[in-house]
Amino acid sequence: MARFGECDVVVAGAGFAGLSAADALVREGLTVRVVEARPRVGGRALTRFLPDGTQLDLGGQWIGPAQRHMADLVHRHAVRTYPTPSRGAALIEYGGRRVEELPAEAAEVLAALDRLARAVPPDRPWSAPGAAGQDGRTFASWLAATGAPPAARDLVGRLVSGGLLSAGPTETSLLETLFYVASGGGTEPLLGYEGGAQETRFAGGAQHLAERMAAGLPEGTLRLGQPVEAVEYTPRSARVHTPGGAWDAARVVLAVPPVLAGRVRYSPALPPLRAGLLQRMPAGTALKTHAVYTAPFWRAAGLSGVSQSAEGVLTETVDNTPPDAPRAVLTGFAYGAEAVLLRRQAPATRRRAVLDHLTALFGEEAGAPDDFVEFDWLAEEWTRGCFSGHLVPGAWTTFGPSLREPVGPLHWAGTETAVRWNGYFEGAVESGYRAAEEVRRSL
Ligand SMILES: Cc1cc2nc3c(=O)[nH]c(=O)nc-3n(C[C@H](O)[C@H](O)[C@H](O)COP(=O)(O)OP(=O)(O)OC[C@H]3O[C@@H](n4cnc5c(N)ncnc54)[C@H](O)[C@@H]3O)c2cc1C
């Protein structure tokens, strides 16, 4: 098999984590090769433009004011951003009623969650007081024990397990949920638009920033269309195999989602705790849809386009119209069981189910968009889930300490390994910088 050459570090994956790791390593004067399976950079950031120029972010798209690494990147790469439209009333469907503010009993459940999350250190959730018990019960069982009315539990379960962890409340442990809340600084910054993680969007889409980061790497650093298939390693070096050939490097940063890191063939086999961990981090199942209209008709009715539903196929909607777009966009999210059931349906039936939900919220016009665009990240060979991967119940307190532990010359990055803003672009960048720092110290 051909050998492309030797380098100091191979980074697998050109998402935000891999690109940040490569950037930091190149700044250290190291020779780096970024090998990326897809013919593009950005990973879970993917922007498409309709023929008339309407921008759709099919993957990640928002950043918030507390995400400092992303703010630095935006500044450094001179990328323009704009706010998420926020004028008008939100619609919250709750217990058969429609209200504009989060009902007090649901807010109380979120407050209780925040109180518990404050005791969970996001860098070592397994050491939190009561961690074993919290890891051994599902978020659904904790919700049931709050004594809150069923509608409040349903809404919080769908917003938190679904909207944040992209799973159902029966799939995630209480500890995983508390970790995620602690990692993002609380439910308010996580769930919020203005002042929260959904405050700002990228002009030209989130993929554009990834492309700018890639363009900043030295020529020849980035190798697209090169999936890492196998990694042979000794305590001091590694050989990374791709379909086109192999790279020898002193260190490797694996910046790919855990489910895909587990599919690479390692020789020798990964240590049991690392291998076990990778088997316990399934990716989420969220489904993001875009309905494109001639105009943002909901604004005339005084509505912001934001909705949160305790029932129905969609849990959330948002006005996703870019400021200078020729047309208007309502984006919807399905999570957990609803997202799985929608995938069982034929595309036309699924589209109808989503549009019926939008019609019930925003009126007849919502049922007849000019375009309807969906993108299934579960079907993507090089992602296999959405938004991110999470530890299953019981895994934090058993396998969790292996999350960022290097294996010989192999270092682990990717948003799933982040301490802060785990699951977000911000977490991906943090993880890339952290892995690069580990490599720098180890050489
Ligand atoms: C629909 C959706 C909406 C989201 N919304 C938001 C949001 O609004 N804000 C936010 O901050 N985050 C959001 N996220 C999450 C965010 O996109 C991710 O946290 C972030 O992009 C992860 O970056 P990463 O570099 O860790 O992983 P990835 O972006 O997945 O990058 C990994 C890269 O590795 C490549 N790869 C995989 N296997 C191999 C292999 N064997 N060899 C070589 N390369 C390989 C992949 O092709 C990919 O390019 C969303 C995600 C989705 C899918």
Side-chain angles (χ1 to χ4, degrees), residues 33-232:
R33 294 289 172 268
V34 180
V35 285
E36 162 58 48
R38 289 181 165 103
R40 63 167 181 87
V41 300
R44 280 170 265 178
L46 174 63
T47 309
R48 289 252 173 94
F49 292 88
L50 297 177
D52 66 356
T54 302
Q55 174 195 316
L56 300 177
D57 271 299
L58 304 179
Q61 67 169 94
W62 284 288
I63 53 172
Q67 300 178 345
R68 303 317 310 162
H69 292 310
M70 290 305 284
D72 287 350
L73 286 175
V74 163
H75 180 70
R76 235 176 87 196
H77 294 283
V79 166
R80 277 190 310 120
T81 59
Y82 46 73
T84 306
S86 61
R87 304 249 309 261
L91 290 176
I92 299 176
E93 291 192 307
Y94 173 84
R97 288 177 294 141
R98 190 167 281 181
V99 294
E100 289 182 14
E101 300 284 339
L102 194 70
E105 54 261 44
E108 277 163 28
V109 178
L110 289 177
L113 195 61
D114 280 321
R115 278 195 298 278
L116 282 176
R118 272 181 225 122
V120 176
D123 59 336
R124 13 183 338 107
W126 54 87
S127 70
Q134 292 170 342
D135 206 19
R137 73 187 296 192
T138 63
F139 184 51
S141 98
W142 178 81
L143 280 172
T146 59
R153 295 180 340 224
D154 289 347
L155 187 61
V156 172
R158 284 165 65 114
L159 289 177
V160 171
S161 290
L164 303 182
L165 292 120
S166 51
T170 55
E171 295 177 90
T172 50
S173 73
L174 174 60
L175 185 62
E176 166 68 13
T177 312
L178 296 175
F179 154 73
Y180 203 85
V181 169
S183 173
T187 55
E188 207 174 308
L190 278 161
L191 293 169
Y193 285 89
E194 221 172 311
Q198 286 66 234
E199 182 176 88
T200 303
R201 299 172 293 167
F202 297 96
Q207 196 185 342
H208 178 57
L209 175 57
E211 283 161 356
R212 296 290 275 265
M213 291 166 76
L217 294 173
E219 214 179 315
T221 303
L222 184 63
R223 305 297 164 117
L224 297 176
Q226 296 294 327
V228 171
E229 294 176 329
V231 177
E232 293 175 83

Side-chain angles (χ1 to χ4, degrees), residues 129 192 312 419:
V419 172

Side-chain angles (χ1 to χ4, degrees), residues 46 48 56 58 287-291 332 342-343 345-352 354 371-377:
L46 174 63
R48 289 252 173 94
L56 300 177
L58 304 179
L287 193 66
K288 183 178 184 182
T289 63
H290 303 271
L342 279 173
R343 286 182 171 89
Q345 298 176 348
T349 317
R350 186 164 56 241
R351 173 188 156 118
R352 196 62 262 156
V354 170
D371 272 307
F372 180 79
V373 179
E374 55 177 5
F375 187 82
D376 191 354
W377 288 92

